[in-house]
Structures are given as structure tokens and as C-alpha cells.
Amino acid sequence: MTFLRGISQIHDRTLDCFLRWACLLAVSSVSALFAQSPGEDFADTPGGVLEYQVISLSAPDAAIEAYLNAFSVRKWSIVMKSRGAFLGYAMGLELRAASREALFSSKNWAPAPDGPGFIVTPPTAALGALLPAERRELYRELARWSGNKPELWPLVFAHESVWHRLAAAGIPPPFLQRARDLCYPFGGGQALSDFSVLAEEFPDPEMLRRFLEIQSTVTTVLPRLKLRTAKSISETLAYWTSNHQNPFAQPMLEALLESETSDGVELISIMPSSARRLSFDIEPGDVSHDLQSASYIISANFATTPQKLGDLDAFDDWFATHFKPVESPYRYGDVLALEQPTEQIINYACAFVGGDLVFARDPVGLGLWRFMHLEEIIGRNPHFAAGAFTGLRYQGSKSAAKPLRN
Amino acid sequence: MQLSISASPFIPCQWRLTRKLLGGILLVSAGQVISALSTQPDLPLTTPPEITSRAATKSIEWEYRTGPWGTLRLREINLKAPVAALARLQFTETRMWSFGSMSWPEIQTFLLEANLSESQLAELFLPDRRLIGKDTLINGIELSSDLLLSLSPESRLYIYNLLAQFPENSDHALPFVLPDQAGDEQLDLNPALREALIKLSYYRSGIRCLTDAKLLVPFVTDADELIRLKRFLVHSPSYTIEITRESLLQRQEVARYWSRNHGKSAHNLLRILADSPDLAGLDLVHFLPPLPQGILNRFPDQDLPPSINCFWTAFNFFSRNPDHQFLPLYDVVDQAAHRALKTLETRFVLTEAPYEFGDVIAFFTRQGDGRNPPELLHTASFIVDDIVMTKNGAGDFKPIALMPLDHVVSLYAWPGGIEVRGYRQRP
């Protein structure tokens, strides 16, 4: 599996990346982080106007329950050759000796059950005693392994207003204070990866659920398509069917072109099945994973019929064969793949919709699928810092960059 | 609904439809079948004319309905089958009437009471048109196209109601159901074709029917017109529906109504509405279980099993992993309806209206003579108010649509009528 090949590559480049990361984070734009403002309220596309309706979105109950179950006990994935190798490497991290010893005692280590490396179960007390700088240092490194979703895609607190919202929702002050203590600097805001500490110290499931629900609330957009503004039927049909390569939506579009209300139609009605199912949601089973391949697979479905492929390698091969780099302006169904100038760490892609809007998995927190502004994605997670999106268009058999997996 | 597709490996949804195809084969020799099929001209299929100008959009208003599901706003849409799917749709041969095991004197007596003209009777009674005991145990008559075209609507109805009793004549049992004749003037069809359409259509229990669609083909002037004709015959109205923010006035009741969806939480969806004051409504798609969420208002395509039918769609409504036993198999007698019936009997309980979200609505034949047990013709999924999600017949030219229950009933113009029963999955 490419997934595993990627893991071994990461091990080799870990030290080098560490230094680069420090630089990247330092130069990343603070103001761009956590941007949630919807900006423009419409986009003019070749297929008509997309009106952005501002909505408030919270994680669904099932996703919250899944997060609660998955991360009430913390386990780290460390994909290195031996405990000794990791300890040697960890000597370079600015961790207090006591923290290092408590977290990485040999009794906390076990071989990973289904792959290379180890699973470490850090004691809650040691986790809870880390200093913010230690968390930032250590979690930045843990984020290199996709098994560590809370470190790669932590719960973020972009603004002080999030804390006010939590307080207004009745979350007790001692809980909030403890949550603040467990946060560490993350781009221009703060992040929380140690939900497990809260879960152990405040074993009230209802309060934990409420905390996750309020914390996950974002302002986002719901696009409505107004076909009556389209200038040309043929151009409209071509745009929303990726130049007729994924024509399942054509009958619906033709029907809407014949008769439309002034309100238009929610874009979801012409989206592919997988995107319809995931919109504003996430499969509970996916909450605990960092399934980066999914972002490629779901995004590719916008341009072409879903592929019935057996494994990720087969998908990678198919994707590389059928998607070709393309310059902006993008069109509906183009896959925008994140590329980072340093090392490919996060394999992340989203589907271009129109204007500046993409259909994407929110790259922080529980990771809901929703519509996002492209700039919002880059600013949302410092692990994306200095990255840029490359357009890939479905067209024939010319080779495109094969998505790397970590 | 009598549709067949020339392209194998297609088997229609209802076993009765399959029997129709098989019946034709039983009735005539192989040579006759080839001859009959070859009467449909091999018209070159052209791509639809390039549309470059922006046609005027018909502006329509929302229709509102309120109930335990909340306040809905609906608009009707007309889903047009893809050209490629329509190209695969072939009309079946109806110039052979099967009278089952009726004797020739019985057939003669029946036809003499059908209000036919002398010349029509003379042709029907020609010895070389009789297929009495010829190679098969089924007795029938082979007809000319002219004779079929010349039948009066009254004679046609009288004869076709009898023919509908025999499984070989499934086009007579389940004809195409057409919009009312008043709309024919608007059809973009040549006058001769329109006239033939009017001649061949008849009314059964107030429903306009067409059995002999194949006889229209010689009147078609080109491939584009054939596509337009097929589109008219398989017209597929549907709805787009939104749950409006007025639903928040009865939030708990609405959340309870949609809570069976096994997908996105209705409670969460209503929270989006509550927390987003600018949002007028959310598309029904959000409130559906995962499978219907993906297929609503779509035609089967490469993403869906090509042979999905009403049973597969209705019985898998709540399934995350669809059960393919409801797809038609390549058996001599399609057992999909039998498997569906067995499933209804073992995993569902009969329920009365008002139905609940996801209930299976089953359409049974109403047998007038009481001799035959009711047959399961069709199933649909209850969505809301009087609206069901339905796949009316197999084939990729029929979408998964939202329709009023009464409208779906009218599409199954069974001579003895249709009995609708509701079923709810056992807990």
C-alpha cells in the first residue's frame, strides 16, 4: 500500500522536516488562520450564479459520539524502527526530562497491531502536566503520522469568542479553565489535542458532548444554484457535468432549466452520491481516522463516475492516469490537491465547485465535509502552511501527479 | 408500463414484464420474432441539436404543505431520460394477441361482441392469421398494423381488457400511461405521428393508455423525433422538496418524523435551520437515508446497478449495504417479485394509513374474477404526505422520482384496478 510506503518515507525525513516546520510556522500568516468569514455572498460561474447562504454548522450527534469514543483514551502512533530510535530523536525536542520519562516509559509501548511502528498509551497525568510549549513541540512531531488525528487535525479555538460561546452554553468554568490549560499555540489561535485528559478528569459524557458540539460550531456557506442567471444552456450543462464526463446530473439540470423558482436550487441536488451523503456530515467511523485518501476519492467523484477499485494503490494508479494538471481558472469537478513546498506531509484534496468555493473535508476538529472557501482551508490548519493547491482535471489517460500517502 | 430494452443483459423490473417478452417468443417462431423486430427501422441516432441560446426559464412558485413532517415547499420538475438510455429502449411487438387456452369458438364469440366492423372481423377470422395450436399450447391471432390502427377506442379497450388476463400480453395489462390528449397539440411530433398516437391510445378507467407503441415507429421521420416520442412515452415528473424553517414551530415532532432516516441526524439538520436565520429551507436530500440520498431524482447510470427496479429501491431504503436479491435475475421466470413478496410477508407488517417515512407501499393487482391471487406489481417508499419515492419500472430510462401516490397508481393501469397496501419493517 502506498499508505505504508509513505510512512517509511516520513521516518527518513522527519528530522529535516522538523526544522522546516519551525520556519514555516513562523512565517505563516497569523491573520489568515481560522478564517471563517464567508466573504462574498455569491459567485458567478459559467453555469449560473451560486448564491452563498450563510449557515451555522455543528458536528452531528453521531460524529460527536464517535469522537468521544475514539479519543477519551489517547493512544499515539509512532512509526519508527524502535523505541530507542524514537527516544533518541525525542532528545532533540524541548521536553522536560520528567515529561519524557513519564510519557515514553517502556511500559506504555506496544507494537502496532496492524502495521509497522508502535502504539504508545501516555498516562493521563503526564499528558495533563505538559506545558503548552511542550505540547506544541511534541504534537507537531506526532502529527507526522496519520494515526495521530488529534494532533494533525486538533480541536481549534480560533478566537476568544469560542470560549465565550462555551461559557454561555453552560459549560462549567473549571472545565473551561482546564481546557484552556491543555491548549497550545496553533498558528494564530490555540489547539486542543488532549481531549482524553478532559474526559478522564471530567467524566460527564453529557458535558463532554456539549463541549464538542459547541466547539465544533462554525459559520459556513450553503450554495444555491440560480440557473435562471445562466447565459447558455449548453455551457451550463457542460459546466456542471465536467464537460459531459459525469452526466448523471444532466436530467436534473435540464428539468431545472425548464422551470425554476426564484430561489434556485440547493447545489446538493446535482452533486454526486458520495458528496450528497457527506455534505455537512462525516461517517462516524471516519471520525477517528485521518483517511486522507478519502479526500481524493470523494473529490474525484465530481468529475467522473466512482471507480470500483480494490485498494488505494489501484486508486492512485487510476487517478494518476486520468487526472492532468490544469491551471486556473478551474471548473466544477476539478480536483485541487494540496502541495507543500517542503515535504508532502498531508495528502489532501478537495473538489472545486465555482467561484472560490470547494467541497472539502474541514481540516481541523472532527473533519466535517462542507463547502469551504479555498483560502479558508489553507488558513485553517498550520500544517497546511505555505502550501498551495494544484488543479487536476479529469481528462483521458495523460499522467498526473500520483497522490502520495502518509 | 411496458418497456423493454434490446440491449442485453437487461431484464425488466416486474416479472410480469419479463413474461411479456417471453410470451412474445412463445407465441411466434424465431423467424417471426426477427421479422417483427426488424420492422422497427434502424434509424441513425444523432446527437441532440446543439443548444447554444438561453431558453426562457418557466418561473414557478413553490407549493407548501404542512404536517408532522414540518412545512415543506415543493415544485414539480420533469426529468428527461438521457438520450443513450432512450436509444436502448425498444418497443415490444403487440401484433400477436394471445388468448391463452381459449378455444377458437370462444375467441370468435368474444370478438363478435367487440363492436368490430365487418372488414375487421373478416381479417381477424382469416384462417392464416390464426395461431391455434401452432407449435405452442397458446392460441392466438396475428394481426396487421392497419387492423390495429383501425380499432376504435371502445373495441380496443374491450379486447385489451381480456388480453390483459394472459401473461403473454403484458403490454395490454400494463400499457404506457400518457398525459391527457389535450396536450398532444404541444408535442413536437409530425402530424401523422400525432394522429397515429391518437388512434392507438385508449382510456381505461379514465387513464389514457397506449399499448401498441411499436406501431408508431413507421410514422417517425428521424432519430431525433424517435427520441422525442420515447421521452413523451416515458415522461417522468418528479419533485424537488425542501423542509422550510417554518418546520421549527413543531421541531420535536418534525425531528421525530425524520428520525428513522439512519443517516444524517434530523435533530442536527433542524439545528442548522434554527441557527441560520437567513436559511429558508434545507433540501429533502439531507433528510433521507444514505441510499435514497444518493439516487433521488437520478436515472440509473454507471454508479448504480443498471437493472435496479422498484423492489431494490424500496426494500433497500434504509440499507447501508443494499440487498441485491431484489434485482431481476436472468431466469426464465423472473423471481424478483416473489422474493419481494416473501420479504414483505416475513420482515414487514401490514400497516394502515397514515403511513410513516420509509414504509413500503405495495401495489397489488385487483383480480376481478377472484380466481387468481393478487400479484405484486410494484413497490415504492413512503416519504411524506401523499408523496412516495418510486422507480416506475426497470431500465435506465426511468428515474428514481418523487411522485404523488395516486399518480403512481394511475401509471399501473391494470384492468381490474390496483390495490395499495402499506407495510412497515418489523422492529
Side-chain angles (χ1 to χ4, degrees):
Chain A
M1 297 286 287
T2 312
F3 178 79
L4 299 179
R5 292 201 299 267
I7 287 174
S8 62
Q9 290 164 2
I10 287 166
H11 167 67
D12 295 335
R13 65 189 186 220
T14 303
L15 284 174
D16 181 47
C17 287
F18 168 64
L19 296 173
R20 292 170 188 260
W21 266 98
C23 297
L24 285 174
L25 288 178
V27 300
S28 62
S29 166
V30 170
S31 62
L33 293 176
F34 311 112
Q36 293 179 11
S37 165
E40 295 289 337
D41 58 3
F42 71 93
D44 197 3
T45 78
V49 165
L50 274 182
E51 182 187 270
Y52 299 165
Q53 292 203 303
V54 178
I55 64 167
S56 175
L57 178 67
S58 305
D61 297 343
I64 288 173
E65 204 62 30
Y67 194 93
L68 197 64
N69 292 333
F71 299 122
S72 287
V73 175
R74 190 71 199 106
K75 292 183 186 298
W76 290 332
S77 168
I78 292 180
V79 189
M80 295 188 85
K81 289 176 182 170
S82 66
R83 175 170 170 264
F86 177 79
L87 291 178
Y89 167 68
M91 290 298 287
L93 301 178
E94 291 189 15
L95 290 175
R96 290 169 295 165
S99 299
R100 202 164 21 236
E101 287 165 16
L103 293 172
F104 302 116
S105 163
S106 60
K107 64 184 179 188
N108 303 333
W109 286 66
D114 52 1
F118 300 87
I119 297 297
V120 176
T121 308
T124 304
L127 270 184
L130 284 172
L131 300 174
E134 290 178 309
R135 290 184 208 283
R136 179 175 61 180
E137 183 97 347
L138 177 60
Y139 296 170
R140 194 163 56 219
E141 294 314 308
L142 291 174
R144 301 194 177 288
W145 296 297
S146 60
N148 299 321
K149 187 186 170 190
E151 286 73 26
L152 181 61
W153 293 11
L155 306 176
V156 297
F157 298 82
H159 307 289
E160 189 63 18
S161 60
V162 182
W163 297 105
H164 296 320
R165 213 165 55 214
L166 286 161
I171 307 293
F175 184 101
L176 292 181
Q177 186 55 52
R178 186 62 175 132
R180 277 179 182 273
D181 294 343
L182 293 170
C183 283
Y184 57 94
F186 194 70
Q190 290 185 304
L192 174 68
S193 299
D194 293 312
F195 180 78
S196 60
V197 178
L198 287 173
E200 183 161 322
E201 294 180 0
F202 300 89
D204 177 351
E206 275 311 307
M207 186 168 63
L208 293 166
R209 288 187 191 102
R210 186 82 176 127
F211 170 74
L212 287 172
E213 178 197 323
I214 304 297
Q215 192 283 329
S216 70
T217 302
V218 292
T219 299
T220 185
V221 294
L222 177 149
R224 291 189 74 92
L225 176 58
K226 299 204 165 182
L227 287 171
R228 63 173 50 186
T229 60
K231 297 176 184 69
S232 151
I233 290 177
S234 56
E235 202 174 345
T236 299
L237 294 177
Y239 185 77
W240 297 111
T241 60
S242 295
N243 210 16
H244 306 290
Q245 294 183 102
N246 202 13
F248 72 88
Q250 183 156 330
M252 184 68 175
L253 286 162
E254 287 175 334
L256 294 169
L257 281 162
E258 274 190 0
S259 56
E260 194 186 24
T261 68
S262 57
D263 302 299
V265 63
E266 209 179 305
L267 191 66
I268 192 174
S269 61
I270 62 162
M271 282 165 51
S273 299
S274 53
R276 283 185 184 188
R277 283 196 286 264
L278 289 168
S279 180
F280 306 136
D281 203 355
I282 183 172
E283 290 285 344
D286 290 347
V287 168
S288 60
H289 305 296
D290 172 36
L291 292 176
Q292 298 181 13
S293 302
S295 65
Y296 275 89
I297 295 168
I298 300 300
S299 301
N301 286 354
F302 278 72
T304 183
T305 308
Q307 302 301 302
K308 307 283 191 299
L309 301 171
D311 57 30
L312 284 181
D313 277 349
F315 175 80
D316 289 352
D317 291 338
W318 171 82
F319 188 88
T321 304
H322 292 91
F323 280 76
K324 178 188 173 187
V326 65
E327 298 293 325
S328 175
Y330 302 124
R331 74 172 185 215
Y332 181 77
D334 285 346
V335 173
L336 303 187
L338 181 71
E339 286 196 350
Q340 291 167 280
T342 51
E343 294 287 338
Q344 181 79 14
I345 293 176
I346 297 175
N347 299 292
Y348 179 90
C350 53
F352 185 78
V353 172
D356 66 338
L357 207 64
V358 294
F359 184 72
R361 189 175 176 189
D362 190 351
V364 294
L366 277 68
L368 266 58
W369 289 89
R370 62 183 175 95
F371 296 95
M372 299 182 75
H373 300 280
L374 201 50
E375 282 191 5
E376 182 187 357
I377 296 178
I378 290 286
R380 193 101 167 109
N381 188 326
H383 295 294
F384 287 11
F389 282 101
T390 297
L392 299 166
R393 183 165 295 169
Y394 179 75
Q395 48 184 0
S397 58
K398 290 185 180 179
S399 294
K402 195 171 177 176
L404 298 174
R405 313 256 168 254
N406 67 4
Chain B
M1 304 292 290
Q2 303 181 20
L3 312 172
S4 69
I5 292 183
S6 62
S8 61
F10 170 76
I11 300 287
C13 162
Q14 293 93 349
W15 68 279
R16 196 169 176 90
L17 301 190
T18 302
R19 290 197 315 197
K20 171 189 69 178
L21 301 175
L22 297 168
I25 293 169
L26 287 170
L27 191 59
V28 297
S29 67
Q32 284 173 301
V33 169
I34 292 166
S35 166
L37 292 176
S38 66
T39 58
Q40 181 164 330
D42 188 18
L43 297 169
L45 179 67
T46 60
T47 54
E50 176 63 14
I51 308 165
T52 53
S53 61
R54 179 71 176 89
T57 298
K58 184 176 72 177
S59 185
I60 59 169
E61 297 301 319
W62 294 103
E63 176 191 343
Y64 286 82
R65 297 189 194 179
T66 299
W69 49 81
T71 299
L72 309 180
R73 58 179 190 179
L74 312 81
R75 64 171 148 182
E76 194 170 334
I77 55 173
N78 183 25
L79 295 170
K80 293 179 180 173
V83 171
L86 291 172
R88 286 189 287 275
L89 164 62
Q90 297 289 321
F91 303 129
T92 49
E93 183 57 71
T94 55
R95 288 182 302 151
M96 279 76 69
W97 289 349
S98 168
F99 290 90
S101 57
M102 282 174 70
S103 66
W104 179 241
E106 286 173 328
I107 295 171
Q108 273 187 313
T109 303
F110 169 75
L111 291 174
L112 284 169
E113 293 172 355
N115 201 23
L116 296 166
S117 68
E118 291 295 325
S119 61
Q120 287 169 330
L121 284 170
E123 182 178 338
L124 286 168
F125 294 162
L126 284 173
D128 65 348
R129 295 295 173 87
R130 297 178 199 174
L131 297 163
I132 303 297
K134 271 188 188 175
D135 304 328
T136 73
L137 298 176
I138 298 167
N139 297 328
I141 299 177
E142 185 177 0
L143 303 100
S144 68
S145 298
D146 288 343
L147 176 59
L148 273 178
L149 277 161
S150 71
L151 291 176
S152 70
E154 295 75 21
S155 297
R156 198 182 298 279
L157 176 65
Y158 180 77
I159 296 169
Y160 288 6
N161 278 352
L162 176 82
L163 294 175
Q165 297 177 17
F166 307 111
E168 297 80 17
N169 306 315
S170 58
D171 282 20
H172 302 81
L174 291 172
F176 285 107
V177 170
L178 309 181
D180 196 73
Q181 192 172 318
D184 287 359
E185 287 301 313
Q186 311 300 321
L187 290 175
D188 188 11
L189 302 175
N190 74 72
L193 178 56
R194 269 210 308 267
E195 190 181 340
L197 177 66
I198 291 169
K199 276 186 185 172
L200 290 169
S201 56
Y202 58 101
Y203 281 83
R204 177 182 282 164
S205 304
I207 298 167
R208 189 183 179 205
C209 301
L210 173 71
T211 291
D212 306 296
K214 193 177 175 86
L215 294 188
L216 295 172
V217 175
F219 295 93
V220 171
T221 53
D222 58 32
D224 289 338
E225 188 170 53
L226 183 59
I227 290 296
R228 289 197 298 278
L229 172 65
K230 289 179 175 178
R231 274 225 167 103
F232 170 69
L233 298 181
V234 299
H235 67 286
S236 301
S238 184
Y239 287 111
T240 62
I241 298 179
E242 295 184 11
I243 285 79
T244 69
R245 65 180 307 100
E246 285 74 21
S247 306
L248 295 170
L249 296 172
Q250 41 179 140
R251 191 165 170 175
Q252 294 306 319
E253 190 182 12
V254 175
R256 195 162 48 247
Y257 183 85
W258 297 104
S259 64
R260 294 177 75 200
N261 76 3
H262 299 197
K264 295 177 187 177
S265 152
H267 170 72
N268 289 120
L269 292 167
L270 291 170
R271 189 166 64 199
I272 293 176
L273 269 178
D275 294 346
S276 311
D278 294 336
L279 190 62
L282 279 171
D283 199 292
L284 171 71
V285 164
H286 293 290
F287 289 80
L288 296 176
L291 186 133
Q293 203 165 49
I295 64 178
L296 179 63
N297 284 335
R298 284 181 61 176
F299 290 84
D301 53 30
Q302 291 169 295
D303 192 14
L304 299 170
S307 54
I308 66 168
N309 55 13
C310 60
F311 304 127
W312 185 91
T313 308
F315 286 100
N316 286 313
F317 188 78
F318 290 120
S319 304
R320 283 197 173 265
N321 300 304
D323 184 345
H324 294 317
Q325 69 160 313
F326 303 110
L327 295 178
L329 302 177
Y330 302 109
D331 298 335
V332 175
V333 178
D334 181 10
Q335 297 290 316
H338 296 299
R339 289 191 291 271
L341 187 58
K342 193 172 177 64
T343 303
L344 279 179
E345 290 167 352
T346 56
R347 288 170 34 201
F348 287 75
V349 290
L350 201 60
T351 186
E352 299 292 325
Y355 302 122
E356 289 183 5
F357 178 59
D359 284 348
V360 170
I361 307 299
F363 296 60
F364 289 91
T365 60
R366 200 191 296 271
Q367 301 290 357
D369 57 10
R371 285 180 302 184
N372 301 316
E375 295 174 14
L376 178 60
L377 281 183
H378 181 62
T379 54
S381 302
F382 186 79
I383 301 295
V384 71
D385 199 11
D386 67 337
I387 295 173
V388 294
M389 190 183 88
T390 180
K391 172 83 171 70
N392 300 321
D396 54 359
F397 45 85
K398 282 292 188 181
I400 297 94
L402 294 169
M403 296 176 72
L405 182 54
D406 286 350
H407 191 161
V408 182
V409 171
S410 75
L411 293 177
Y412 291 82
W414 186 264
I418 295 290
E419 183 182 350
V420 174
R421 300 178 198 164
Y423 290 85
R424 189 162 301 154
Q425 203 159 5
R426 292 179 195 274

